[in-house]
Amino acid sequence: MTRRIVRTSIQLGALTAIVLLLVFLLDNRFRVLPDAIHNHLPLHHPGLVITDITLASCSSLNLLSSCKLDAPKWHRIEKDLYLNKGWLNHAYVHIERKEEKELVETDRVIFDVKVGRLDPTTSEKGQGAERWESRPGGIWLKRTAKRHASDSTKAITAVDVLFGADAVEARSGWEILDQPILLSNRGDNQEARLTVRRGPPVPFERPKPRVRKNGRFKIMQVADLHLSTGLGACRDAAPPGHQGGKCDADVRTLEFLGSVLDSEKPDLVVLSGDQVNGETSPDSQSAVFKFAEMFVKRSIPFATIFGNHDDEGSLSRQALMELTQNLPFSLSLPGPSSVEGVGNYYIEVLARAPSTHSALTLYLLDTHGYSPDERQFRGYDWLKKSQIDWFQATAHSLKNSPSHKGYHHTHMDMAFVHIPLPEYRQEEDIVKGSGTFAETPTAPGFNSGFKKALIDEGVLVVSCGHDHVNDYCALSRSEGSEDIKDRNPELWMCYAGGAGFGGYGGYGHVIEGGYHRRVRLFEFEMDEARIRTWKRLEYGDTEKKVDEMLIVEGGKVVAS
């Protein structure tokens, strides 16, 4: 009886294996499995695949030329390869894309793309007899009609265009091609480069910042990068003859940023506005990817708010935020739609593992751009009532949440903005030895009362950017007594100082030795509820912690 059961089991197992093999072979050739099953097969990524790429050029002199191909078949990437700077010429990349289930026998899936003047088969070793297909602009495609080619991780599933000799990719699963698209009469326009994604989108989780095992958490504030599309032009570079006088703004800026990231190893980077120099960024996406790639490749979480220049390029604030928040390691959020501005949000830094309680809260708010009422309040915009109401309601709610109440040490709060508060103008509050006061703060003409709201909610420090050659800290004290010793410290207000060579570095102010770009660090020692701050320079004593200060002790603002 036992032998019969064993024999029957073996026969059934063999039959099942044969059936599965036949189904697999049939599906591989004729796709017989339903999508519900097929979509769960290993290496499968349902969705769009790219079946063709081409380039359409047009000229203002030729009325019969068109930069838009047949819409039902072709999808145009809405980036003029001449960045709208060609006097007569325009060109756009077009892609043909289909859903996998719509593929027919005649469709060919792209699994490799190159750009160059010569057929890769003859110009590169190891290509053998594989056939490359030529397209305008020096684009070469390798395609296949094999069944389930779209299942391969080599299949091209998305295409984009970035600009500049220094263009980089910040998105997971994407790769930028080495050679720029070959355009006629390119002139001084930036190089246009294809970038492609292979396989499905790479999922990633929003990082959860956490205090380190040693009880510390370090934030690097980077203000006013002023990155461009392309290499960028340096402004007020110091010293003038450095590196033989040659200065590509973005190259030097990012080299400085990378060196400080590697030496300080921050737990979080806060970019406090004007990351993008709108005037020189006809493709803002390319500028954004340059700073984001610095953090992605180092696995450092980062958060952004906007300045008055970010949305002066090709993308609006909303588009910039959508782009940034969907990058790996980004903590950026648009914030509530009912609150004015884009980028009003908070970040919770968790206590040491395995705790799930908040040890530190960071508030980030959008200070907008230019004054909406130049006649009465010249200069820059101010934080609006809806933002202050949101901040106060959020702070009150968090304080009463289990995440905060369950933290048994002193919880601390900090805020970041781009444009300084009006109170930054009070010179008597500037702390000697905290940094340089080299230009009058260009704070809003209207005071909406945000400083009082910060103090009321127990925020210890607020830090800004905007005025590039100011890097001081001011200490706000309580009112009442004429004797400063009897007035309690309430709030530190700091500048980061400008980090980018694409922004001004002086406004004509005479600074001995010139203004050297810099970033500000804040280190939180959670066990002692202590905050220290210092700066790092791009030139000079680059290893020194410049103007280091103790600004919070025992969870209280202290005079340094």
Side-chain angles (χ1 to χ4, degrees):
M1 184 68 179
T2 304
R3 290 182 179 178
R4 185 179 300 172
I5 293 174
V6 172
R7 184 169 59 250
T8 303
S9 299
I10 293 173
Q11 291 172 342
L12 287 173
L15 180 61
T16 302
I18 292 171
V19 170
L20 289 175
L21 179 61
L22 288 173
V23 170
F24 174 77
L25 292 173
L26 287 170
D27 183 67
N28 193 51
R29 185 169 182 82
F30 300 110
R31 196 183 180 103
V32 297
L33 290 174
D35 287 341
I37 296 176
H38 193 258
N39 288 349
H40 288 86
L41 290 176
L43 299 180
H44 186 79
H45 42 83
L48 296 172
V49 291
I50 309 301
T51 56
D52 206 349
I53 303 173
T54 193
L55 187 151
S57 301
C58 56
S59 170
S60 301
L61 296 178
N62 184 356
L63 298 179
L64 298 179
S65 64
S66 175
C67 275
K68 197 152 192 174
L69 302 181
D70 181 30
K73 178 180 179 181
W74 295 99
H75 169 77
R76 189 171 86 169
I77 298 174
E78 294 299 333
K79 290 186 177 184
D80 181 4
L81 302 184
Y82 293 91
L83 288 171
N84 298 310
K85 292 183 179 180
W87 285 94
L88 302 172
N89 298 316
H90 301 276
Y92 291 84
V93 171
H94 288 68
I95 60 174
E96 183 184 37
R97 57 188 186 182
K98 288 189 174 183
E99 290 191 23
E100 247 188 320
K101 60 185 179 183
E102 295 176 351
L103 293 174
V104 297
E105 291 290 338
T106 55
D107 287 323
R108 298 168 63 82
V109 175
I110 300 174
F111 64 96
D112 206 356
V113 184
K114 291 186 181 294
V115 175
R117 297 187 182 280
L118 301 176
D119 185 336
T121 303
T122 58
S123 63
E124 297 182 4
K125 295 181 180 179
Q127 295 296 333
E130 294 173 330
R131 182 171 176 266
W132 288 86
E133 302 175 39
S134 175
R135 297 291 185 271
I139 299 172
W140 296 87
L141 308 178
K142 189 178 286 186
R143 303 193 299 167
T144 180
K146 292 180 180 179
R147 297 297 303 177
H148 298 317
S150 57
D151 285 0
S152 170
T153 54
K154 294 183 179 181
I156 305 297
T157 56
V159 178
D160 203 351
V161 179
L162 296 174
F163 294 85
D166 59 343
V168 293
E169 257 297 350
R171 295 170 290 189
S172 296
W174 287 75
E175 60 179 278
I176 190 166
L177 302 193
D178 294 335
Q179 298 297 320
I181 297 172
L182 305 179
L183 299 173
S184 60
N185 304 316
R186 187 169 59 86
D188 294 330
N189 288 337
Q190 298 292 348
E191 296 177 350
R193 295 174 178 270
L194 280 179
T195 177
V196 299
R197 187 187 71 207
R198 298 177 186 276
V202 178
F204 61 88
E205 292 185 4
R206 182 178 165 88
K208 293 181 180 179
R210 183 180 290 278
V211 174
R212 282 178 266 151
K213 291 180 180 180
N214 63 3
R216 299 188 177 194
F217 189 85
K218 187 188 292 185
I219 297 173
M220 187 166 100
Q221 182 189 358
V222 180
D224 301 278
L225 284 172
H226 284 268
L227 298 174
S228 301
T229 303
L231 301 176
C234 285
R235 295 180 61 185
D236 307 320
H242 183 57
Q243 296 179 341
K246 176 178 172 56
C247 185
D248 293 321
D250 291 7
V251 174
R252 190 166 169 184
T253 297
L254 295 171
E255 284 179 353
F256 166 48
L257 183 59
S259 68
V260 181
L261 287 171
D262 292 337
S263 60
E264 289 285 356
K265 294 179 171 52
D267 301 293
L268 171 68
V269 175
V270 173
L271 298 114
S272 56
D274 283 356
Q275 289 78 246
V276 176
N277 194 58
E279 184 181 357
T280 58
S281 294
D283 185 62
S284 297
Q285 180 183 4
S286 296
V288 168
F289 282 4
K290 284 194 281 189
F291 72 75
E293 188 259 355
M294 302 288 288
F295 313 126
V296 172
K297 70 182 180 182
R298 291 174 172 83
S299 301
I300 300 175
F302 67 98
T304 60
I305 49 178
F306 298 128
N308 50 296
H309 291 296
D310 287 290
D311 57 355
E312 293 177 341
S314 63
L315 296 177
S316 66
R317 263 169 152 72
Q318 291 82 359
L320 283 167
M321 181 56 76
E322 183 177 358
L323 177 69
T324 307
Q325 75 176 105
N326 289 307
L327 293 175
F329 295 97
S330 173
L331 294 171
S332 303
L333 290 172
S337 59
S338 58
V339 178
E340 291 164 273
V342 179
N344 301 296
Y345 62 106
Y346 65 91
I347 296 170
E348 293 278 54
V349 178
L350 301 180
R352 279 175 288 200
S355 175
T356 58
H357 297 118
S358 170
L360 168 67
T361 302
L362 307 173
Y363 295 96
L364 300 95
L365 292 97
D366 183 7
T367 48
H368 316 288
Y370 304 97
S371 173
D373 186 357
E374 277 287 344
R375 286 188 177 183
Q376 190 172 1
F377 304 107
R378 296 188 64 187
Y380 293 93
D381 207 344
W382 49 88
L383 286 153
K384 305 301 171 61
K385 183 178 184 301
S386 66
Q387 293 176 280
I388 298 173
D389 289 346
W390 167 81
F391 161 71
Q392 291 182 306
T394 301
H396 181 75
S397 175
L398 290 175
K399 286 174 188 175
N400 291 286
S401 68
S403 176
H404 282 228
K405 285 188 172 182
Y407 183 63
H408 299 304
H409 296 279
T410 302
H411 191 281
M412 294 191 284
D413 299 320
M414 183 178 177
F416 292 94
V417 292
H418 177 68
I419 297 173
L421 307 181
E423 288 81 3
Y424 275 73
R425 293 195 185 102
Q426 296 174 3
E427 293 188 38
E428 65 273 16
D429 289 343
I430 298 174
V431 175
K432 185 178 181 180
S434 68
T436 304
F437 180 105
E439 58 179 310
T440 302
T442 53
F446 177 74
N447 192 332
S448 59
F450 187 54
K451 177 199 154 190
K452 181 179 183 303
L454 289 170
I455 294 171
D456 289 347
E457 298 303 331
V459 171
L460 304 169
V461 190
V462 60
S463 196
C464 72
H466 189 57
D467 298 320
H468 299 186
V469 293
N470 284 343
D471 68 343
Y472 64 82
C473 287
L475 179 58
S476 176
R477 295 174 179 267
S478 61
E479 299 178 356
S481 174
E482 293 185 3
D483 190 344
I484 193 171
K485 295 180 181 178
D486 296 329
R487 295 165 57 195
N488 295 324
E490 290 184 319
L491 177 71
W492 278 101
M493 299 180 294
C494 293
Y495 274 107
F501 284 85
Y504 74 87
Y507 260 154
H509 297 287
V510 178
I511 302 174
E512 186 177 353
Y515 175 79
H516 302 303
R517 269 59 177 189
R518 59 202 63 201
V519 297
R520 181 175 286 279
L521 283 300
F522 294 94
E523 186 166 56
F524 298 78
E525 301 172 21
M526 304 308 300
D527 291 343
E528 298 83 6
R530 180 184 295 153
I531 304 177
R532 298 181 187 274
T533 186
W534 63 90
K535 291 159 290 188
R536 293 286 301 273
L537 302 181
E538 188 269 343
Y539 184 84
D541 194 349
T542 58
E543 300 299 319
K544 181 182 178 181
K545 292 183 176 181
V546 178
D547 300 327
E548 184 175 8
M549 299 190 301
L550 173 67
I551 58 176
V552 172
E553 178 71 64
K556 303 293 183 182
V557 176
V558 295
S560 183

